């Protein structure tokens, strides 16, 4: 039974992510606990495919999900946030969304997912090296004590390219 799937840095793109999502949804990969898709340029489309598999409850055992370095942008972050809010990611303890060109809108979606209280197992969230303004990072951090994700230690927004507020 496959429990650890690491296809990081293989250039699978959105099509590869869609294929992996289809395998996850088929039920053949129900035991996967660690999924590394980092640095594959899956973009927003690939993130949406993975998020759909998560949202539909086909990946309830995934505890570690690495989507870092995939250019998922705000659209992909919103898809992942919707999956987190679905309640089907109860085992997810580690989520890496670093270096994905996520801006304020994507971070706000993640904040709303954290506030939903449906990610009680999440212990590590990396949003580093994105383009999230300091004020949004602060609102994200402020959201933590209000939900069930209050025990989330390493948020890591410090390495964001904090942009000045727009006038």
């Amino acid at each position: 039974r496959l429990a650890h799937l690491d296809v990081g840095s293989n250039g699978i793109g959105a099509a590869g992510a869609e294929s992996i999502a289809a395998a996850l949804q088929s039920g053949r990969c129900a035991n996967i606990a660690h999924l590394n898709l980092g640095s594959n340029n899956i973009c927003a489309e690939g993130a949406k495919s993975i998020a759909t598999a998560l949202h539909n409850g086909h990946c309830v055992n995934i505890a570690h999900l690495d989507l870092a370095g995939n250019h998922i942008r705000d659209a992909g972050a919103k898809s992942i946030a919707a999956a987190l809010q679905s309640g089907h990611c109860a085992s997810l303890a580690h989520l890496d969304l670093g270096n994905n060109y996520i801006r304020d809108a994507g971070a706000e979606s993640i904040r709303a997912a954290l506030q939903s209280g449906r990610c009680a197992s999440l212990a590590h969230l990396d949003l580093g090296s994105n383009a999230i303004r300091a004020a949004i990072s602060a609102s994200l951090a402020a959201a933590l004590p209000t939900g069930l994700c209050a025990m989330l230690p390493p948020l890591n927004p410090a390495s964001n390219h904090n942009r000045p507020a727009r006038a």
Side-chain angles (χ1 to χ4, degrees), residues 38-81:
S39 299
N40 272 304
N41 199 30
I42 68 170
C43 301
E45 297 82 20
K48 183 177 180 182
S49 297
I50 297 299
T52 298
L54 293 170
H55 188 275
N56 291 337
H58 296 287
C59 309
V60 295
N61 293 318
I62 292 182
H64 182 110
L65 179 59
D66 185 345
L67 295 175
N70 274 303
H71 306 111
I72 69 168
R73 302 186 182 273
D74 286 343
K78 289 177 181 180
S79 295
I80 297 299

Side-chain angles (χ1 to χ4, degrees), residues 35-38 63-70 72 80 92-100 102 122 124-128 130 156:
L35 180 58
N36 180 8
L37 299 176
H64 182 110
L65 179 59
D66 185 345
L67 295 175
N70 274 303
I72 69 168
I80 297 299
L92 189 63
H94 180 106
L95 177 60
D96 191 345
L97 297 175
N99 196 27
N100 269 306
I102 297 170
L122 197 61
H124 179 100
L125 173 63
D126 190 338
L127 288 168
N130 282 295
N156 195 16

Side-chain angles (χ1 to χ4, degrees), residues 6 10 15 19 23 28 35 41 55 61 63-64 67-68 70 76 88 91 101 127 130 133 135 139 150 160 163 167:
D6 185 345
N10 276 293
S19 295
R28 294 187 314 247
L35 180 58
N41 199 30
H55 188 275
N61 293 318
H64 182 110
L67 295 175
N70 274 303
H88 293 293
S91 297
Y101 300 102
L127 288 168
N130 282 295
R133 285 187 297 128
S139 74
N160 276 292
R163 300 175 287 116

